[in-house]
C-alpha cells in the first residue's frame, strides 16, 4: 500500500485496523507510525523489522490534532512559525511517555528552533543544523548564525532522495563551517562572511588554505596552490570531469571524490602532491591508506602494504569483487556502504580471522572467501 511513498509519519487511528505484512515494504523515509497504545505490541509483532517505529498514543483525537495542525502548516502559503512549533509540541506530547525513545526524541526536539523554510537551528539560533525539506531550491541562512555544523545540508547516503538545494547564501555572521556540510546539487554559494571566500565555483576559508567545497562545472578544476587542507566530500557537488590536486596539500578528509565516476562519462584525478598518490582510480595517502575510489571497474586488487581503507572509500561504487592484502588492519566506517553490486571480498587464508573481526559490521552485506595466496 505504501511502497515507495515518501511519507515520514503515519497515524493509524482505528483500533481494529488490519494491515497487510507487505504494506510498508520499501518505504525508507518512514520515521514513526502512531497507533493507539493498546495496539502497539500487536503491530510490533506483526512488523518486527520496523517495530521501533511504532509509538503509542492514548487518544485518537490527539493524534488527529497533530495531523490537522501539521497539514495546516504544510499547506499554508503564509506559513506561521507558531503552527510548526505547535505541531512539534503535540507531536512530542503524543509520543508514549513510557517509551524511552520517545522521551529522548521529545528532549531533542525541544532543543531546536525552526524558521518558515523548515530549516532547523540550535535553540539559541547560533548554529544551523539543516533543512527538513528536500525540495527547497534556494535558502538564505538567517543573519546572526555563527556556525554551519558538520553535515548540515548534506544528503550523502540519504535513503529518501537527494536534496534539491541549488543556491545557498551564507550571512556575514558565520565564523565556522563544519565538515561535509553541503548537498550534491548545490551550484551557487553567495558568501557574505569575511571568514570565507568563493572563487572559481569553490568555497574556501579566507586565504584559501582550506578547500571546503568545490561545485565547479568546468571540464577541469585545478586546486589552488594555497590549499593545504581538503574537507570531507569536498568534490561531492563538483561536475568537472578532471581534478588536479596541488602540491602543497597536507591533509585530505573523508573521501573527497565520493560518488564520482558513476555515470557514463569518465572522471580523472591528477595529484601533484608527493604525499597523496593517484593509482588505478584510487587516491592513497603516503602509500599506506586508501582514501577514495572512483573507477568503473567491477574488480579491484589493493596493493600490498596498504594498511587502512578510509571511511566511505568505496561508497556507492559498482565493484563486484575486492581483493585485500593481509596488510590491512583498519577498515573505516561505511567503507563499503551502498555497494549494492559487491558480492565478495577475497582475503589471504592466513589472515581470515583478522578480517572476520575487522569486517564484522559488513558480514551481512558481503561474503568473505579464502584466497590461498599469501600476497595479492
Amino acid at each position: 500500500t505504501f511502497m515507495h511513498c515518501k511519507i515520514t509519519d503515519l497515524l493509524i487511528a482505528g483500533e481494529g485496523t488490519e494491515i497487510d505484512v507487505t504494506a510498508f515494504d520499501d518505504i525508507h523515509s518512514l520515521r514513526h507510525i502512531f497507533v493507539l497504545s493498546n495496539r502497539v505490541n500487536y503491530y510490533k509483532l506483526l512488523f518486527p523489522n520496523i517495530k521501533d517505529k511504532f509509538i503509542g498514543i492514548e487518544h485518537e483525537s490527539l493524534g488527529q490534532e497533530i495531523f490537522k495542525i501539521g497539514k495546516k502548516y504544510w499547506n499554508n502559503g503564509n506559513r506561521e512559525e507558531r503552527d510548526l512549533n505547535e505541531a512539534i509540541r503535540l507531536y512530542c506530547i503524543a509520543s508514549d511517555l513510557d517509551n524511552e525513545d520517545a522521551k529522548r526524541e521529545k528532549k531533542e526536539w525541544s532543543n531546536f528552533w525552526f524558521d518558515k523554510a523548515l530549516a532547523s537551528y540550535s535553540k539559541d539560533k547560533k548554529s544551523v543544523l539543516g533543512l527538513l525539506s528536500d525540495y527547497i531550491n534556494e535558502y538564505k541562512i538567517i543573519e546572526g548564525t555563527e556556525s554551519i555544523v558538520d553535515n548540515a545540508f548534506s544528503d550523502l547516503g540519504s535513503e529518501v532522495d537527494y536534496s534539491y538545494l541549488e543556491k545557498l547564501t551564507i550571512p556575514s555572521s558565520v565564523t565556522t563551517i563544519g565538515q561535509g556540510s553541503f548537498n550534491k546539487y548545490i551550484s551557487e554559494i553567495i558568501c557574505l562572511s569575511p571568514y570565507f571566500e568563493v572563487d572559481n565555483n569553490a568555497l574556501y576559508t579566507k586565504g584559501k588554505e582550506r578547500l571546503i567545497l568545490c561545485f565547479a562545472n568546468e571540464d577541469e578544476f585545478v586546486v589552488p596552490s594555497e590549499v593545504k587542507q581538503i574537507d570531507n566530500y569536498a568534490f561531492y557537488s563538483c561536475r568537472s570531469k578532471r581534478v588536479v590536486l596541488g602540491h602543497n596539500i597536507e591533509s585530505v578528509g573523508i573521501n573527497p571524490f565520493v560518488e564520482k565516476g558513476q555515470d557514463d562519462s569518465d572522471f580523472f584525478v591528477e595529484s601533484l602532491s608527493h604525499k597523496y598518490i593517484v593509482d588505478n582510480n584510487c587516491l592513497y595517502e603516503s602509500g599506506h591508506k586508501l582514501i577514495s575510489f572512483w573507477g568503473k571497474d567491477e574488480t579491484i586488487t589493493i596493493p600490498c602494504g596498504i594498511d587502512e581503507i578510509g571511511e566511505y572509500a568505496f561508497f556507492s561504487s559498482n565493484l563486484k569483487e575486492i581483493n585485500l592484502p593481509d596488510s590491512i588492519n583498519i577498515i573505516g566506517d561505511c567503507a563499503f556502504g551502498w555497494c549494492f553490486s559487491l558480492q565478495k571480498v577475497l582475503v589471504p587464508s592466513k589472515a581470515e580471522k583478522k578480517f572476520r573481526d575487522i569486517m564484522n559490521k559488513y558480514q551481512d552485506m558481503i561474503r568473505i572467501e579464502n584466497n590461498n595466496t599469501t600476497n595479492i
Side-chain angles (χ1 to χ4, degrees):
T1 305
F2 299 103
M3 182 177 285
H4 301 309
C5 286
K6 295 183 178 180
I7 59 173
T8 58
D9 297 275
L10 176 67
L11 167 67
I12 302 174
E15 184 169 345
T17 304
E18 297 296 334
I19 307 176
D20 188 87
V21 293
T22 64
F24 302 113
D25 285 0
D26 293 326
I27 174 171
H28 303 295
S29 59
L30 192 61
R31 297 183 305 178
H32 301 101
I33 306 172
F34 294 102
V35 298
L36 296 180
S37 294
N38 61 355
R39 300 285 284 173
V40 170
N41 290 335
Y42 169 77
Y43 287 122
K44 286 185 175 183
L45 288 173
L46 188 61
F47 300 99
N49 292 335
I50 57 170
K51 63 182 181 180
D52 293 337
K53 298 186 185 296
F54 288 98
I55 295 178
I57 56 175
E58 293 301 328
H59 304 289
E60 175 184 330
S61 59
L62 181 59
Q64 293 197 7
E65 188 68 16
I66 298 170
F67 280 80
K68 184 177 72 175
I69 293 178
K71 185 177 180 181
K72 176 184 176 184
Y73 175 76
W74 289 103
N75 294 338
N76 186 356
N78 299 316
R79 292 175 176 170
E80 296 289 341
E81 282 180 26
R82 63 175 179 270
D83 292 338
L84 175 61
N85 292 329
E86 181 66 5
I88 292 170
R89 185 182 71 81
L90 287 174
Y91 176 88
C92 294
I93 292 174
S95 298
D96 189 341
L97 294 182
D98 293 329
N99 183 310
E100 290 302 320
D101 290 338
K103 291 179 182 178
R104 183 166 55 253
E105 181 159 324
K106 181 177 179 180
K107 183 177 180 180
E108 290 176 357
W109 278 80
S110 68
N111 292 325
F112 297 160
W113 177 84
F114 299 82
D115 70 2
K116 295 178 182 179
L118 279 181
S120 58
Y121 290 79
S122 57
K123 201 166 186 177
D124 61 6
K125 305 179 187 179
K126 297 295 185 182
S127 299
V128 60
L129 310 177
L131 284 169
L132 295 186
S133 173
D134 293 328
Y135 300 101
I136 293 177
N137 298 110
E138 180 178 345
Y139 182 67
K140 294 181 179 181
I141 299 172
I142 62 171
E143 186 65 49
T145 302
E146 297 176 358
S147 171
I148 302 174
V149 303
D150 291 350
N151 306 311
F153 297 99
S154 176
D155 54 12
L156 182 63
S158 171
E159 293 184 345
V160 184
D161 205 347
Y162 290 112
S163 166
Y164 292 94
L165 181 67
E166 296 178 354
K167 182 178 179 180
L168 181 69
T169 300
I170 300 174
S172 60
S173 55
V174 169
T175 59
T176 60
I177 298 177
Q179 292 282 330
S181 298
F182 302 96
N183 64 306
K184 184 170 188 174
Y185 291 119
I186 199 154
S187 58
E188 182 179 359
I189 294 178
I190 299 174
C191 183
L192 305 178
S193 170
Y195 295 92
F196 305 94
E197 61 179 286
V198 173
D199 182 49
N200 193 27
N201 292 321
L203 176 65
Y204 307 88
T205 52
K206 198 69 175 179
K208 298 183 179 177
E209 285 196 3
R210 173 187 166 202
L211 171 60
I212 300 171
L213 181 74
C214 171
F215 47 95
N217 197 28
E218 295 76 19
D219 289 340
E220 180 178 87
F221 180 84
V222 179
V223 177
S225 59
E226 298 96 323
V227 172
K228 296 181 179 180
Q229 175 185 338
I230 295 178
D231 273 13
N232 299 350
Y233 326 124
F235 295 92
Y236 182 45
S237 312
C238 178
R239 283 163 284 280
S240 298
K241 297 303 178 184
R242 181 182 178 86
V243 172
V244 180
L245 302 180
H247 61 275
N248 289 323
I249 296 173
E250 297 176 357
S251 66
V252 173
I254 298 172
N255 192 350
F257 305 112
V258 66
E259 291 196 1
K260 295 303 172 192
Q262 293 182 342
D263 55 20
D264 293 334
S265 58
D266 292 323
F267 179 74
F268 301 96
V269 178
E270 178 184 352
S271 177
L272 305 179
S273 167
H274 296 295
K275 183 177 181 180
Y276 295 95
I277 309 300
V278 173
D279 181 54
N280 193 26
N281 296 316
C282 292
L283 179 67
Y284 296 94
E285 178 184 350
S286 301
H288 80 92
K289 178 181 179 180
L290 190 156
I291 298 174
S292 179
F293 169 77
W294 56 83
K296 293 182 173 59
D297 311 272
E298 294 184 350
T299 301
I300 187 172
T301 298
I302 308 304
C304 290
I306 300 300
D307 59 20
E308 181 178 354
I309 295 176
E311 297 177 58
Y312 285 81
F314 295 103
F315 185 84
S316 198
S317 75
N318 296 317
L319 285 167
K320 293 183 178 179
E321 181 179 309
I322 300 176
N323 292 268
L324 297 179
D326 59 9
S327 55
I328 296 289
N329 293 314
I330 300 172
I331 296 178
D333 289 342
C334 217
F336 305 118
W338 282 37
C339 292
F340 299 121
S341 300
L342 189 59
Q343 299 172 1
K344 57 186 175 181
V345 175
L346 299 180
V347 302
S349 56
K350 66 178 182 180
E352 179 183 357
K353 184 180 184 304
K354 176 180 73 172
F355 279 99
R356 288 195 180 278
D357 290 339
I358 65 176
M359 297 184 67
N360 180 59
K361 66 181 70 174
Y362 302 112
Q363 291 200 36
D364 291 339
M365 182 178 67
I366 62 175
R367 177 165 53 94
I368 301 177
E369 294 184 353
N370 287 333
N371 184 320
N372 292 321
T373 59
T374 56
N375 294 299
I376 299 180

